[in-house]
Amino acid sequence: MDATYMYISELTPGKVVAEDIFANTKHSILQKNTKVNYEHLHVLKAFNISRVLIFKDEDVPAPTEINGREMIIDVPVPAISPFLRYYEDGVAYLKKEFQNWQAGARIDITKIRNKMIPLLEIVLAERSHIFDLNSYSNPKDYLYHHCIATGLISSIIVQKIGHDRGTAIQMALAGMLADCGMAKISARVRDKKTALSEQEFLEIRKHPIYSYQMVKDLTAMKTDMKKAIYYHHERLDGSGYPEGNRDANVLFYSQVIAVADVFHAMTSERLYRSKQSPFRVIEMIKEEEFGKFDIKVVQALIDIVADLPIGTKVELSNMEHAEVMFINPYAPTRPLVKLYSTGEIIDLATVRQLYISRILPKA
């Protein structure tokens, strides 16, 4: 039967493993003929397995093979959630639209709005969905995932700050369309897997200009949101682009998109970088990028990500599972946690080499 190697970043639930997988272990961590589910994906990533041999769909062995060893080990795959269904539909639509924009088509803001509203309604009601956005993304289609995620995260931030639903909707649309100008960048440059030349980097930096040109005549989008798209790569310290503006000349809404953009980018797997923990990323935005972003916007994101009820089950960076026992108001991303394995209480604000890598699903 025919099989092919597939990178973990591209592997999806339902695929069937074509060989036993070992990771410096005596026994396999995944047996041949196992149907992959979400938990298997996490295990493979935990053991730094980069790719696995997968049966091609037309060559998946039938469950009635000769003996038990050859039968497919079918671990149930969780039913797709309404959010994920809307999300995947949005990504597929946006991927097609980028091709149309590249050919010169205009943005159909009504269709964009219709794709975003169902997602937005779910996210505004349950913010925890932002923790899953980076797991949906993949390096190949990162741009389309990033557009939708940036829009959703932007809307949650302004909601947290206290803005009304109308502003949250406008913010979602602006965040989603902030990188639409990438359609005007040569695919050779946009999809390049190696380091960009200086000239190519300068071309990439033009995308906010192209994005603004594409949205400036949209009557359904407010002027402030159009400006936010143009300025979303500006930084308060003047280190951004396209104009290198600073402080008062950097609009608030552009800072919302900027923070959402950086947060999703750093928590997602890219062609040149592995994804990082949301908790680690917001610490980096606050500490290492200090002075570049509006502190009010950064604090809103911190409050969203670090809103962990007592008893929340988490996984730490050393793969230990733990329970949140107490939230430190001065270091909300670093609570006191109790290890399930030993019962030890650890103050993550003190033990800096550890951090929360992800929230574990409820039992």
Side-chain angles (χ1 to χ4, degrees):
M1 288 178 289
D2 202 5
T4 184
Y5 278 100
M6 182 174 289
Y7 286 100
I8 298 302
S9 59
E10 299 175 353
L11 185 60
T12 55
K15 298 293 185 181
V16 178
V17 177
E19 65 180 359
D20 289 346
I21 300 174
F22 296 85
N24 295 321
T25 53
K26 181 178 179 181
H27 302 289
S28 61
I29 60 172
L30 215 58
Q31 293 182 351
K32 179 181 179 181
N33 297 323
T34 296
K35 183 180 288 187
V36 174
N37 65 18
Y38 287 104
E39 192 61 31
H40 297 145
L41 291 175
H42 177 65
V43 170
L44 292 169
K45 291 177 182 179
F47 280 98
N48 292 319
I49 304 296
S50 62
R51 62 177 190 164
V52 296
L53 190 64
I54 297 295
F55 284 117
K56 292 187 176 179
D57 291 339
E58 63 271 18
D59 290 315
V60 172
T64 54
E65 294 270 334
I66 297 175
N67 55 57
R69 174 61 176 153
E70 292 302 320
M71 290 180 68
I72 294 177
I73 305 169
D74 191 357
V75 180
V77 176
I80 187 169
S81 69
F83 177 83
L84 184 55
R85 185 167 61 250
Y86 287 130
Y87 179 88
E88 290 181 339
D89 179 58
V91 169
Y93 169 77
L94 198 57
K95 186 174 182 178
K96 183 178 179 180
E97 281 301 277
F98 259 81
Q99 295 174 347
N100 294 334
W101 297 338
Q102 192 167 3
R106 294 185 177 183
I107 292 173
D108 188 332
I109 192 64
T110 301
K111 289 185 178 179
I112 291 289
R113 193 177 189 277
N114 289 341
K115 294 296 179 182
M116 284 298 284
I117 290 297
L119 284 167
L120 185 60
E121 296 288 2
I122 296 173
V123 167
L124 292 180
E126 180 52 70
R127 297 172 183 165
S128 64
H129 285 288
I130 69 167
F131 290 108
D132 299 324
L133 294 176
N134 61 349
S135 66
Y136 300 150
S137 182
N138 63 73
K140 182 181 178 182
D141 293 327
Y142 167 77
L143 176 59
Y144 320 114
H145 289 271
H146 182 64
C147 289
I148 291 178
T150 299
L152 294 176
I153 297 169
S154 296
S155 68
I156 296 172
I157 290 174
V158 293
Q159 183 205 47
K160 182 66 177 179
I161 291 174
H163 291 259
D164 60 23
R165 183 176 180 276
T167 302
I169 292 174
Q170 283 281 311
M171 200 77 255
L173 297 177
M176 183 183 188
L177 292 171
D179 283 346
C180 66
M182 292 293 285
K184 304 300 183 181
I185 305 292
S186 166
R188 178 186 61 80
V189 175
R190 188 179 66 222
D191 301 330
K192 190 175 180 181
K193 296 179 175 60
T194 55
L196 297 175
S197 68
E198 182 178 354
Q199 190 61 40
E200 290 168 337
F201 187 64
L202 290 174
E203 180 62 20
I204 289 290
R205 283 192 164 207
K206 293 179 182 177
H207 81 268
I209 301 173
Y210 299 146
S211 293
Y212 178 75
Q213 291 171 345
M214 292 170 67
V215 304
K216 65 183 178 66
D217 295 325
L218 297 177
T219 57
M221 182 174 286
K222 293 182 178 180
T223 299
D224 282 350
M225 297 300 168
K226 296 173 184 178
K227 290 181 179 179
I229 287 173
Y230 179 77
Y231 290 117
H232 79 279
H233 275 292
E234 298 288 0
R235 300 294 181 258
L236 297 182
D237 62 357
S239 63
Y241 60 89
E243 295 184 0
N245 284 341
R246 63 171 64 234
D247 297 334
N249 293 320
V250 179
L251 300 175
F252 168 76
Y253 292 130
S254 71
Q255 278 284 286
V256 172
I257 299 177
V259 170
D261 171 87
V262 170
F263 177 74
H264 182 256
M266 294 178 69
T267 56
S268 298
E269 185 173 359
R270 308 287 294 277
L271 290 169
Y272 51 84
R273 186 184 64 214
S274 59
K275 64 183 180 181
Q276 301 184 63
S277 157
F279 296 87
R280 179 71 187 108
V281 167
I282 58 175
E283 288 178 355
M284 294 169 67
I285 292 174
K286 183 178 180 180
E287 299 168 8
E288 298 178 19
E289 303 294 319
F290 181 78
K292 294 185 177 183
F293 302 105
D294 187 316
I295 190 61
K296 185 178 181 181
V297 176
V298 174
Q299 188 58 52
L301 181 61
I302 292 173
D303 292 342
I304 292 165
V305 174
D307 183 17
L308 301 176
I310 303 302
T312 299
K313 297 179 180 179
V314 299
E315 183 176 89
L316 303 182
S317 52
N318 64 353
M319 302 301 293
E320 286 268 16
H321 288 188
E323 178 181 350
V324 173
M325 304 298 290
F326 174 77
I327 301 296
N328 182 344
Y330 300 103
T333 61
R334 292 185 164 275
L336 262 68
V337 297
K338 181 179 180 180
L339 299 183
Y340 283 116
S341 60
T342 64
E344 179 186 0
I345 303 292
I346 296 179
D347 183 357
L348 295 178
T350 302
V351 185
R352 301 291 297 184
Q353 67 270 27
L354 291 179
Y355 54 85
I356 296 173
S357 60
R358 66 179 183 126
I359 307 296
L360 293 173
K362 296 178 181 178

